[in-house]
Amino acid sequence: MFLESVLLACLIAFPLILKLIFPFFWTDFLYHIELLRILIKFVSRSRRRPPFLALDRFLEQVKTRPNKTFIVFENKPYSFKDADKESNKIANALRAVSVLRSGDPVVLFMLNEPAFIFCWLALAKLGCACALLNTSIRARSLISNFRCCRGAKVLIASAELQAAVEEVCEDLQQDDVMIFIMSEELRSSSSSSRVKSLSVLESSDSDVPQSYRANVSFTSPAVYIYTSGTTGLPKAAVINQTRLLAALAVLASNGVTERDVIYVTLPLYHTAGFLIGFLGSVETGSTIILRHKFSASRFWDECRLYNVTVIQYIGEVLRYLCNTPEKRDDKEHGVRLAIGNGLRADVWRKFLNRFGNIEVREFYASTEGNVGFVNYAGQIGAVGRVSYLHRKLFPYSLIQYDTERDEPVRDSKGLCVEVPKGQTGLLVSKITEIAPFVGYAENEHQTEKKRLRDVFKSGDVYFNSGDLLKIDRDNFIYFQDRVGDTFRWKGENVATTEVSDIIGFLDFVEEVNVYGVKVPGHEGRIGMAAVKIRDGMEFERTKMFNHVRNFLPAYAQPRFIRIQSCMEVTRTFKQIKLKLVEDGFNPTVTSDSMYFLCENEKTYVSITPFIYQQILTGSIKL
Ligand SMILES: *[C@@H]1O[C@H](CO)[C@@H](O)[C@H](O)[C@H]1NC(C)=O
Ligand SMILES: *[C@@H]1O[C@H](CO)[C@@H](O)[C@H](O)[C@H]1NC(C)=O
Ligand SMILES: *[C@@H]1O[C@H](CO)[C@@H](O)[C@H](O)[C@H]1NC(C)=O
């Protein structure tokens, strides 16, 4: 009797003790079970012959839930069956009018609208790969992006983009390209006979025979997604069919089911919108609420209207939401999950405080990379958890990086050096069969630049993520900075995201951008922050001074502050930063106010042309 009670007590106590010693045991355990289930599904699908493609998952959904709502756009719902029929019409129309053959790549230049998805499905049915162009590009960059996708002879554009296409059609004509506008008739008569409307009214909605995609294999390119590189030149990451199959699992592995409603406001031509949002819904059979573009002011009203349960974010999206005026019903909505990447700790806290108990799944991944992490434990600020199993599957490592020379540190044997836990290092991941790096289309130079050789053994090859990360004692992994963003001052590395997080805590700061600027006569770069002040508030110089003093080591405290009335939205973040770095702290190049951290006055003081000169000549010591 006694023994039994002890046993019983032990049994009850066991999970508690486990929780005490390994606080994340159950979370890890459940996540890995889920991961295993998905891995098994993935492997069994990837063994099927003929190959099981992402399109086949869509066709399964059409069979099992034909009348379930798949997409809602501007209040108009489309069921899975509707999407199937619409895409058949497009496929049949394309077959009738164009010279398109199975396997040819096609370039899509389309806004977020149902036709984008129908076109993609149509092309998948025809066995064609699709390049997804960024719809904000024009003129020369439109042409150079187009040419990244070699062999493309067909471009399909949204009706709204007809003018942008006509601007370049002469150049495209040289490449012998057919241009189709997704509308029944052209808005204005076209100057070129090569621009045609793709009419689907008369087109048959009968199924496209499977034989059209008979030559598609797992290694065939499926989509090309453009990533903006630091050099400004576009690179198209090749996503092959296997990769699509893996992408199907992302939402499913984070607990999304057919009962969920996903709000897709991010562009479909990017990884987040296409691979995660759209394909996630294809896999799970959930509903997509599609929007032309993100709107912070309409966001929650639409979430309520459509009973949205899952939202996606990248970078600044949640910050924009936190920056809208507070409302009484901020916590009244059905959103249970937010999934994305680039959420900073300060915004994360604000977001939860304000909008209630939403599970945030922050992940780390890149379109072309071969390793990813997901933070399934809700640890604020982390991009994921590392585990033995994960590392066995995807052999990655954080290695020492010399930010000054902009290259990995090499030991006497010429090999890289792993950093210990708690220290920041460059994330590299071994290129293997299950973690391949396909590279960029038509750009062997950029592709080779991402390959790092002789890492731990002579002859081995790793993917160089270009990102600096850190693993803590509890095995959480944190994104620190992009290589190149981190700068060195007084022999110390300054991670710009860390400094931004800390400044972001101040209530009068709406947005902040941290970077390093050169000062004559000094090695490295000194910290500077461009700050946008919240409406109706002002820059409290002394509060800022005390705050950076209390929370940042001396070398990381921004010595210069630039107050910006608005952050530019037309350029990419990278370009904005480059411009800021170029302007430096010279008060005469801009009408923005500039401040200087003054030790004597214990506050930030205005940089006058006189002070500027004194800094340049070294009479003010930094
Ligand atoms: C598949 O490839 C074979 C051999 O290259 C070719 O003859 C055939 O036409 C292709 N089928 C389709 C549907 O493109
Ligand atoms: C595509 O995926 C396969 C895995 O099925 C991979 O081995 C291959 O390297 C990938 N890339 C290309 C261009 O085939
Ligand atoms: C949202 O949910 C409410 C309550 O369950 C329901 O009455 C309403 O019809 C739903 N709206 C949509 C668009 O599904």
Side-chain angles (χ1 to χ4, degrees), residues 304-307:
R304 281 183 279 264
L305 178 64
Y306 295 115
N307 298 331

Side-chain angles (χ1 to χ4, degrees), residues 102 211-215:
S102 158
S211 63
Y212 272 79
R213 42 187 187 276
N215 285 352

Side-chain angles (χ1 to χ4, degrees), residues 146-279:
F146 182 92
R147 289 188 179 144
C148 279
C149 181
R150 190 164 65 181
K153 290 280 170 259
V154 174
L155 179 138
I156 304 178
S158 292
E160 286 88 339
L161 296 170
Q162 187 184 330
V165 170
E166 297 210 339
E167 224 177 87
V168 296
C169 71
E170 238 170 71
D171 286 88
L172 294 183
Q173 219 150 339
Q174 292 170 9
D175 298 5
D176 207 19
V177 175
M178 297 286 286
I179 300 171
F180 292 106
I181 304 292
M182 262 325 281
S183 63
E184 287 309 312
E185 53 191 45
L186 297 180
R187 293 195 160 181
S188 53
S189 68
S190 172
S191 50
S192 164
S193 59
R194 288 204 163 251
V195 180
K196 296 196 165 71
S197 73
L198 189 67
S199 167
V200 295
L201 268 187
E202 312 274 279
S203 176
S204 148
D205 67 5
S206 58
D207 287 344
V208 179
Q210 156 100 39
S211 63
Y212 272 79
R213 42 187 187 276
N215 285 352
V216 177
S217 74
F218 286 119
T219 53
S220 310
V223 285
Y224 298 84
I225 293 185
Y226 292 82
T227 62
S228 57
T230 35
T231 56
L233 287 173
K235 293 176 287 184
V238 186
I239 312 289
N240 69 20
Q241 293 287 351
T242 303
R243 199 80 197 267
L244 283 198
L245 217 51
L248 281 176
V250 176
L251 283 189
S253 66
N254 285 289
V256 174
T257 70
E258 80 277 6
R259 289 184 300 278
D260 280 304
V261 177
I262 309 165
Y263 193 40
V264 177
T265 65
L266 303 175
L268 284 170
Y269 55 76
H270 272 165
T271 304
F274 188 85
L275 292 184
I276 297 178
F278 163 59
L279 286 186

Side-chain angles (χ1 to χ4, degrees), residues 25 41 66 141 152 159 203 217 236 279 282 404 444 485 503 585 613 618:
F25 180 83
K41 193 179 202 173
S141 39
S203 176
S217 74
L279 286 186
V282 165
E404 199 80 318
E444 183 50 33
D485 279 2
I503 295 178
F585 58 100
Q613 280 310 321

Side-chain angles (χ1 to χ4, degrees), residues 278-480:
F278 163 59
L279 286 186
S281 158
V282 165
E283 169 70 11
T284 56
S286 47
T287 299
I288 294 176
I289 309 299
L290 187 65
R291 232 195 109 84
H292 244 319
K293 56 165 121 89
F294 170 77
S295 155
S297 58
R298 299 285 304 137
F299 197 91
W300 295 107
D301 288 339
E302 292 200 341
C303 284
R304 281 183 279 264
L305 178 64
Y306 295 115
N307 298 331
V308 168
T309 58
V310 178
I311 60 175
Q312 284 188 281
Y313 65 86
I314 47 159
E316 308 299 289
V317 161
L318 300 189
R319 183 188 296 275
Y320 292 148
L321 292 179
C322 289
N323 284 342
T324 55
E326 283 190 30
K327 289 198 183 142
R328 253 188 319 129
D329 57 0
D330 273 346
K331 289 195 171 71
E332 285 163 28
H333 55 74
V335 175
R336 61 173 188 84
L337 176 69
I339 181 162
N341 62 328
L343 179 57
R344 297 215 297 242
D346 58 334
V347 181
W348 195 324
R349 280 191 201 94
K350 274 185 209 160
F351 180 75
L352 294 185
N353 277 338
R354 173 144 171 214
F355 298 107
N357 198 15
I358 299 172
E359 187 184 354
V360 174
R361 293 253 169 139
E362 165 83 4
F363 63 85
Y364 170 89
S366 63
T367 308
E368 68 277 39
N370 64 347
V371 64
F373 303 98
V374 56
N375 176 359
Y376 50 84
Q379 174 87 350
I380 289 184
V383 294
R385 261 175 91 56
V386 298
S387 71
Y388 176 79
L389 185 68
H390 187 223
R391 198 165 170 173
K392 269 269 162 286
L393 284 171
F394 303 95
Y396 60 85
S397 177
L398 302 184
I399 58 170
Q400 280 184 24
Y401 194 76
D402 184 336
T403 44
E404 199 80 318
R405 301 173 53 184
D406 221 6
E407 62 186 31
V409 172
R410 301 267 179 183
D411 64 11
S412 56
K413 291 193 214 90
L415 299 177
C416 296
V417 187
E418 192 165 18
V419 297
K421 254 188 192 170
Q423 277 185 27
T424 300
L426 172 72
L427 174 71
V428 295
S429 176
K430 194 164 186 172
I431 298 173
T432 64
E433 187 135 342
I434 71 159
F437 169 55
V438 179
Y440 308 106
E442 297 301 298
N443 202 332
E444 183 50 33
H445 174 68
Q446 290 292 345
T447 302
E448 186 54 34
K449 264 177 73 176
K450 295 298 264 180
R451 295 194 185 111
L452 190 64
R453 296 176 186 278
D454 305 331
V455 177
F456 295 119
K457 272 205 302 260
S458 125
D460 60 5
V461 190
Y462 279 65
F463 171 73
N464 178 352
S465 70
D467 291 326
L468 301 171
L469 287 91
K470 182 170 85 179
I471 298 172
D472 75 2
R473 276 188 315 152
D474 294 323
N475 289 323
F476 283 102
I477 182 161
Y478 297 81
F479 176 79
Q480 299 295 103

Side-chain angles (χ1 to χ4, degrees), residues 476-545:
F476 283 102
I477 182 161
Y478 297 81
F479 176 79
Q480 299 295 103
D481 232 341
R482 296 276 313 158
V483 156
D485 279 2
T486 286
F487 57 89
R488 259 172 107 76
W489 179 247
K490 307 232 154 143
E492 301 277 359
N493 284 334
V494 183
T496 59
T497 45
E498 257 179 20
V499 179
S500 301
D501 283 351
I502 291 200
I503 295 178
F505 266 114
L506 287 162
D507 56 356
F508 57 85
V509 171
E510 182 169 314
E511 276 175 55
V512 56
N513 204 341
V514 173
Y515 48 97
V517 293
K518 287 240 172 243
V519 185
H522 289 275
E523 290 295 311
R525 292 186 290 154
I526 194 165
M528 179 153 185
V531 175
K532 179 171 184 295
I533 304 297
R534 208 170 279 283
D535 280 344
M537 302 189 91
E538 56 184 83
F539 175 43
E540 299 178 52
R541 299 183 288 153
T542 308
K543 193 166 172 185
M544 172 77 86
F545 177 89

